[in-house]
Amino acid sequence: MRKLGLLFLVLLVNSAYLAARADATLFYFANVVLHLLLGAGLAVAAALEVRGWRTWPRPLRLAAPLLGAGAALGIALAIVGATRSHAWILRAHIAAAALGSVIVVAWMAARLTRIARPGERLATGIGLAILGLIVAGTAILIVKDRREAPLRYRIANPALPPETMADEGGGPRSPFFPSSAATNVGGTIPSNFFMTSQVCGRCHTEIYKQWSSSAHHFSSFNNQWYRKSIEYMQDVVGTQPSKWCAGCHDHAVFFNGRFDRPIKEQIQTAEAQAGLSCTSCHSIVHVGSTMGQGDFTIEYPPLHDLAANDNPVLSRVHDYLLYADPEPHRRTFMKSFHREQTAQFCSSCHKVHLDVPVNAYRWFRGFNEYDNWQASGVSGEGARSFYYPAKPQKCADCHMPLVAARDPAAVDGKIHSHRFPAANTALPFVNGDAEQLRVVQDFLRDGQVSVDIFGLARVAEGAGGGGGATSEGQASVRSGEPQLASTFAQGEESGSFGTVAATLAAPVEVVAPIDKVVPTVRRGESVRLEVVVRTRKVGHFFPGGTVDAQEAWVELEARDDKGRVILHSGEVADDGRGPVDPGAHIYRNLLLDEHGNPINKRNAWMARSVAYVRLIPPGAADTVHYRLRIPEDCGDTIHLRAKVNYRKFSWWNTQWAYAGVRDPADHGASVTRDHDDGKWVFTGDTSGVSGGIKAIPSIPTTVMATAEASLKVADRSASLPADASVMDKSVRERWNDYGIGLLLQGDLKGAENAFEKVTVMEPGYADGWVNVGRARIQEGNMEGAETVLRKALEVDPTLAKTHFFLAAALKARGQYDEALDHLRTAATRYPRDRVVRNQIGRVLFLKRQYKDAVAELRKVLEIDPEDLQAHYNLMLCWQGLGDATQARAEQALYTRFKADESAQAITGPYRQLHPNDNNERQAIHEHSAATPAKPAAQLSYGGPAR
């Protein structure tokens, strides 16, 4: 029995260590093995003594069944593993063994105290105290570890952003600069652990299979579109700037230091073809900020060499120990930010900016999925959204949906899909991956956006609605606020929601909804059709990602009952295989280089100006205007069909990526890091391209949404029936969407008119009154805005957006104290809405409460260190406080992030030569019958942007 007791105490100390720690070290797993051996040995030894159980003291007889149950459960765990599906066995094992151990330890302590000789009692007491301290210390360590775990890896922004790119990441001395990516050792690390995802697949079979089809797997030079863009970039500017891309695309050929060598020389190596692996995300141990740019630190995983060992015995031992105790593995590869701060984690690569080391020009924002999500209602952090989902959504909720699986990581039989469904249909198409293509297309068609053939307006061509009066580009004046240097759109992270300079033209009367009214038009008449596109399940701008190289557009066809096509905007040439109608309403950004050439080769580093950006914010809408001319010989009915189409990648970019070569007849064209005046032909050899298709692929178009409606047609001289709009609660949302689209393109009176109809249809819908107030604020009608916003407060006193916009109206009228009260009400509900925080800081500045304003504006920088408005107001506050040093620092940051308005001059010659793009640049514009699209063969040169 004495040996049995000693064995028990050793096991107790071993168990305390395993409970307090979960380290991925050989010492820890040696203790796991020891635990199994000690447990088995103790169970066998106890079994040999069980025949004399009647002679055991009562406490031991009471503890024996508990310890026996713990042993049985331990044996079960040793067989099936302590994975999530068997977590109940683990909990029962711990509970039974712990309770039995408490009884045994208490009995042993009492017995030792009782039988100790007078001279030994002090030593016995000390020994028992030490044992108690071990138990208490273990408990404290467990509680401390559980409490600190969420904070240990928490993503938090710095107080101030760097003043230059040289201060980002490891700076110019880093082997990875200008990417902000880093390793835990500060230098290069072996690439092999980025190339062993199949090792993860030994246990996570289903996850590995999903990842194998994903865009993450094909992020590198196994992706022909990306491959061509980097080869081109390195040809023009060298390898160093291209590391800016590699930090998020090419880990296996980047972190080992091989990106200094041109990728063309190593394109067929395993490293170049690896893509992003399991460890590309799961070995990240720190994310420095939400400023993106690959701002993370990656670590060579502990015990990786054992896991990837070619020795089958060692690899099986490794896998068995992970099943026996998966907690160290879980802690190594699933940090708290993977679960609790998924959007902030994803921002490290899904948000970028460029600066001098990359573009030899200046700072400007590239694509950005994070900021507009964070500021929107989808995140649950935006106070001013038009619409909110039933509950806040994070990146993984949409792009890693739960799917059924028998994976050891499954919870309740489900895992997060590692197919990462989003919008890349091109990669599965060229890889012949039918299942991945189906998943992506199903995702795109799953109500992400909707289209509504909403209304008919009798407005003369070239009149009404302010067509051509305003423009959309980075230099647009928006409510006088400073403009961020950006090639991307701005949504709710902007104080004016990204709306453009406004027009106060009289509203156009619209008969709507068309499908409810079925209005009548006359032969020979010219009318305007109003089509509304709405983002519904999109948590960021639509479309997202690299919007200079993909196509999302609206297609509208009008056909009479004789089968004659009257209008077809957005048609694709060559039976759907060629370029999109150049006059289509397209969602993208059109960037230009220094000489006004379109950025169509994923050469954002060459961008110098923005011709236009047209994207739809999350939970918002866009109103598209079409000119429909009714022929004299039109039939009696016109059938209308609208579609929202999506194609990844754009036609031109695909042609160029697969077969683009310099035009041999184009001699002496100027090509520098600022511009490319050369022409391209699509006659290159495709036999060595990446992917399964060794020819220029015809990427399928995905129809994301459709709508249909009809018009009745009468003779030119016929009297028109009194077509009256339908205005009841059943169509209230459609009218609201229409108004939102008008508001965001600057048609303020038209938007106000639509929103006023919403208040008539449903007076109890507070947002209707709020939206009227929004329009009036932009009109400058602050008194009228205040009236309707106070009405909105009567309907719903808790609506944060009402308080925000009422504060805006009050601030404009100099009523600062009341404005502050309303802003603070909004901030209480939405403490991470940076526009609300900015406005509080601005009002405090206007009240000359500079120190309070600084404190508030610093809260903005905690959310986004690059917030231009905050830096502008901080500059003014420090000037007010007489602190020239702080003021200069803020001025430097403000200057770094502020748009270069003079760059808009580059767009002038281009717009004169490209009337369709010039039309699309206008905030309010019409689309009419398209010029017939040229055959693909005639569009082989690089001039046209589409």
Side-chain angles (χ1 to χ4, degrees):
M1 282 297 279
R2 187 173 296 176
K3 291 181 179 179
L4 196 64
L6 183 62
L7 196 63
F8 171 79
L9 289 175
V10 174
L11 178 60
L12 197 64
V13 173
N14 167 265
S15 300
Y17 169 73
L18 293 178
R21 307 292 301 178
D23 305 319
T25 63
L26 289 174
F27 179 76
Y28 179 89
F29 280 105
N31 271 274
V32 172
V33 173
L34 180 62
H35 188 77
L36 295 171
L37 295 175
L38 286 170
L42 188 61
V44 171
L48 295 175
E49 299 284 343
V50 77
R51 285 176 296 180
W53 69 273
R54 292 179 186 277
T55 63
W56 292 358
R58 185 178 178 186
L60 293 187
R61 293 201 305 271
L62 184 62
L66 292 169
L67 292 174
L73 291 165
I75 292 169
L77 286 172
I79 296 171
V80 302
T83 55
R84 280 201 173 114
S85 58
H86 304 126
W88 66 274
I89 304 178
L90 178 63
R91 287 192 291 268
H93 166 70
I94 293 171
L99 187 55
S101 297
V102 168
I103 296 171
V104 172
V105 170
W107 172 78
M108 292 175 71
R111 189 170 186 275
L112 285 171
T113 304
R114 189 169 57 251
I115 67 174
R117 297 171 185 173
E120 296 174 345
R121 287 178 180 173
L122 178 60
T124 302
I126 292 173
L128 292 173
I130 292 172
L131 182 62
L133 287 173
I134 291 173
V135 173
T138 300
I140 291 169
L141 284 174
I142 292 171
V143 171
K144 182 174 182 290
D145 181 68
R146 300 296 188 270
R147 183 173 294 175
E148 292 179 356
L151 303 176
R152 196 172 297 133
Y153 300 103
R154 186 154 191 84
I155 300 170
N157 283 314
L160 285 175
E163 287 190 16
T164 70
M165 187 174 256
D167 300 318
E168 296 174 2
R173 293 184 179 181
S174 165
F176 313 122
F177 184 78
S179 170
S180 294
T183 64
N184 65 317
V185 296
T188 60
I189 56 177
S191 63
N192 60 332
F193 89 104
F194 292 114
M195 300 165 61
T196 52
S197 294
Q198 73 278 4
V199 172
C200 305
R202 292 204 304 252
C203 296
H204 300 291
T205 306
E206 291 170 270
I207 289 176
Y208 173 71
K209 182 179 178 182
Q210 293 165 0
W211 164 84
S212 297
S213 294
S214 73
H216 280 184
H217 181 203
F218 294 97
S219 68
S220 191
F221 302 104
N222 49 5
N223 172 339
Q224 180 60 27
W225 287 270
Y226 177 75
R227 169 183 168 178
K228 180 76 169 192
S229 69
I230 298 302
E231 290 175 344
Y232 171 75
M233 182 180 189
Q234 292 185 348
D235 285 346
V236 177
V237 296
T239 59
Q240 185 69 26
S242 68
K243 293 181 182 181
W244 172 74
C245 310
C248 284
H249 280 267
D250 312 300
H251 289 180
V253 73
F254 173 65
F255 282 113
N256 63 356
R258 286 173 53 176
F259 225 74
D260 290 315
R261 178 184 171 194
I263 200 62
K264 284 182 178 179
E265 298 175 9
Q266 48 185 329
I267 200 70
Q268 297 303 330
T269 62
E271 290 88 346
Q273 298 294 314
L276 293 177
S277 66
C278 305
T279 50
S280 291
C281 290
H282 288 286
S283 288
I284 290 175
V285 294
H286 175 70
V287 176
S289 69
T290 60
M291 291 184 284
Q293 212 68 3
D295 189 9
F296 59 78
T297 301
I298 203 159
E299 176 185 68
Y300 194 92
L303 305 184
H304 174 266
D305 292 339
L306 178 61
N309 197 289
D310 292 333
N311 187 309
V313 175
L314 288 177
S315 63
R316 285 175 185 170
V317 169
H318 169 272
D319 293 353
Y320 173 77
L321 290 176
L322 287 194
Y323 267 94
D325 188 352
E327 188 60 25
H329 181 78
R330 189 179 296 126
R331 292 193 185 191
T332 298
F333 293 111
M334 278 298 291
K335 300 296 189 284
S336 57
F337 50 64
H338 288 119
R339 295 185 296 268
E340 298 163 17
Q341 291 184 288
T342 56
Q344 291 88 338
F345 173 72
C346 296
S347 77
S348 62
C349 278
H350 290 269
K351 175 181 176 180
V352 302
H353 60 264
L354 296 86
D355 209 335
V356 175
V358 180
N359 62 10
Y361 175 43
R362 56 155 299 159
W363 187 98
F364 60 73
R365 168 71 62 225
F367 87 94
N368 180 4
E369 310 290 34
Y370 176 75
D371 283 346
N372 50 90
W373 167 84
Q374 187 278 321
S376 75
V378 179
S379 70
E381 298 179 2
R384 300 156 294 113
S385 295
F386 291 111
Y387 295 107
Y388 290 81
K391 64 177 183 178
Q393 303 283 299
K394 294 185 287 189
C395 307
D397 294 319
C398 294
H399 298 296
M400 296 185 72
L402 289 171
V403 294
R406 301 185 54 149
D407 193 274
V411 178
D412 298 327
K414 292 188 175 182
I415 58 172
H416 286 283
S417 173
H418 283 62
R419 288 184 180 275
F420 307 104
N424 198 318
T425 55
L427 288 172
F429 180 78
V430 298
N431 290 329
D433 193 334
E435 177 62 14
Q436 179 73 4
L437 181 60
R438 181 194 65 78
V439 169
V440 173
Q441 290 192 313
D442 286 351
F443 176 82
L444 289 170
R445 293 168 179 149
D446 188 29
Q448 308 295 340
V449 298
S450 63
V451 63
D452 183 7
I453 304 173
F454 179 71
L456 180 146
R458 286 186 163 84
V459 54
E461 296 191 26
T470 60
S471 64
E472 190 165 3
Q474 71 175 36
S476 298
V477 179
R478 300 171 181 170
S479 302
E481 75 177 71
Q483 290 305 293
L484 186 74
S486 179
T487 64
F488 210 67
Q490 293 183 71
E492 289 165 87
E493 66 271 31
S494 156
S496 58
F497 209 114
T499 54
V500 300
T503 177
L504 295 177
V508 172
E509 282 304 319
V510 177
V511 178
I514 288 179
D515 61 322
K516 299 283 187 181
V517 179
V518 192
T520 301
V521 294
R522 293 190 182 100
R523 294 180 176 89
E525 188 178 17
S526 175
V527 297
R528 194 167 85 184
L529 298 176
E530 307 283 73
V531 174
V532 179
V533 180
R534 159 95 179 269
T535 48
R536 294 187 174 272
K537 296 171 66 177
V538 182
H540 45 70
F541 277 107
F542 172 77
T546 52
V547 293
D548 59 308
Q550 57 204 38
E551 294 166 328
W553 73 99
V554 183
E555 182 179 357
L556 180 69
E557 183 181 37
R559 187 185 294 263
D560 69 9
D561 50 9
K562 300 176 183 179
R564 176 181 177 180
V565 176
I566 301 170
L567 169 67
H568 196 172
S569 175
E571 183 181 9
V572 179
D574 292 351
D575 296 323
R577 297 185 300 272
V580 177
D581 163 18
H585 191 78
I586 192 164
Y587 297 106
R588 63 162 182 167
N589 62 355
L590 174 55
L591 313 179
L592 304 176
D593 69 19
E594 184 181 56
H595 286 184
N597 302 299
I599 300 298
N600 50 14
K601 298 175 281 296
R602 289 272 50 249
N603 51 328
W605 43 272
M606 204 178 271
R608 296 296 180 265
S609 189
V610 181
Y612 69 83
V613 182
R614 187 173 303 284
L615 307 172
I616 311 177
D622 179 43
T623 299
V624 192
H625 312 287
Y626 290 93
R627 175 58 53 178
L628 180 65
R629 302 179 182 95
I630 318 300
E632 294 287 355
D633 57 350
C634 184
D636 296 329
T637 305
I638 297 174
H639 301 286
L640 305 172
R641 180 176 175 82
K643 295 188 285 186
V644 176
N645 297 321
Y646 182 86
R647 183 164 65 179
K648 174 92 174 191
F649 292 82
S650 69
W651 180 88
W652 198 96
N653 187 256
T654 295
Q655 306 294 306
W656 175 79
Y658 274 75
V661 292
R662 296 281 183 184
D663 185 349
D666 184 32
H667 301 294
S670 177
V671 180
T672 73
R673 65 189 310 148
D674 302 305
H675 64 267
D676 185 346
D677 294 341
K679 293 182 179 181
W680 297 79
V681 292
F682 306 142
T683 58
D685 179 14
T686 60
S687 63
V689 298
S690 299
I693 296 178
K694 304 303 181 182
I696 301 176
S698 179
I699 303 301
T701 294
T702 303
V703 179
M704 296 183 64
T706 62
E708 295 184 356
S710 297
L711 302 173
K712 292 180 284 189
V713 182
D715 289 337
R716 175 187 283 271
S717 58
S719 298
L720 290 176
D723 294 325
S725 292
V726 174
M727 292 186 13
D728 58 39
K729 289 177 68 172
S730 70
V731 295
R732 181 266 297 163
E733 186 174 300
R734 295 172 71 180
W735 279 97
N736 199 52
D737 292 346
Y738 175 61
I740 291 168
L742 296 179
L743 180 68
L744 294 184
Q745 61 190 220
D747 185 357
L748 302 184
K749 288 297 185 181
E752 181 182 0
N753 186 44
F755 294 142
E756 285 174 342
K757 288 181 169 65
V758 170
T759 65
V760 173
M761 286 178 248
E762 192 172 349
Y765 179 60
D767 281 77
W769 301 101
V770 173
N771 289 340
V772 175
R774 288 185 191 226
R776 289 181 179 176
I777 286 171
Q778 291 197 42
E779 293 168 17
N781 180 6
M782 301 302 172
E783 184 176 354
E786 182 179 347
T787 299
V788 293
L789 290 166
R790 293 196 185 280
K791 174 64 178 176
L793 281 181
E794 293 176 11
V795 175
D796 183 355
T798 66
L799 199 61
K801 69 182 82 173
T802 312
H803 289 280
F804 173 82
F805 289 110
L806 179 55
L810 292 168
K811 182 189 111 178
R813 301 179 72 187
Q815 297 171 240
Y816 296 150
D817 290 336
E818 189 178 356
L820 270 178
D821 289 341
H822 286 286
L823 286 169
R824 285 174 172 147
T825 298
T828 299
R829 180 82 184 275
Y830 293 96
R832 283 179 54 81
D833 187 309
R834 55 183 160 122
V835 174
V836 174
R837 293 285 184 197
N838 260 323
Q839 286 303 303
I840 294 174
R842 180 67 180 175
V843 173
L844 290 170
F845 165 77
L846 293 173
K847 287 169 62 66
R848 299 178 183 272
Q849 297 177 11
Y850 301 130
K851 289 184 178 180
D852 293 338
V854 167
E856 193 65 39
L857 293 167
R858 281 177 170 166
K859 294 177 183 177
V860 176
L861 299 184
E862 291 175 9
I863 303 166
D864 178 22
E866 297 165 321
D867 188 283
L868 184 69
Q869 190 77 18
H871 289 299
Y872 174 72
N873 284 317
L874 279 166
M875 176 183 69
L876 299 180
C877 288
W878 289 120
Q879 289 173 349
L881 289 166
D883 191 329
T885 301
Q886 295 272 30
R888 280 195 298 270
E890 291 296 342
Q891 183 178 14
L893 291 168
Y894 170 69
T895 303
R896 183 187 185 201
F897 301 138
K898 186 179 182 298
D900 176 12
E901 290 88 351
S902 65
Q904 280 296 294
I906 294 173
T907 70
Y910 177 86
R911 290 186 287 121
Q912 289 179 334
L913 295 171
H914 299 84
N916 287 307
D917 289 327
N918 185 54
N919 183 57
E920 196 67 12
R921 173 185 165 93
Q922 311 310 312
I924 307 171
H925 61 276
E926 290 184 356
H927 298 269
S928 57
T931 303
K934 296 179 181 179
Q938 296 182 34
L939 286 173
S940 58
Y941 289 96
R946 295 182 185 171

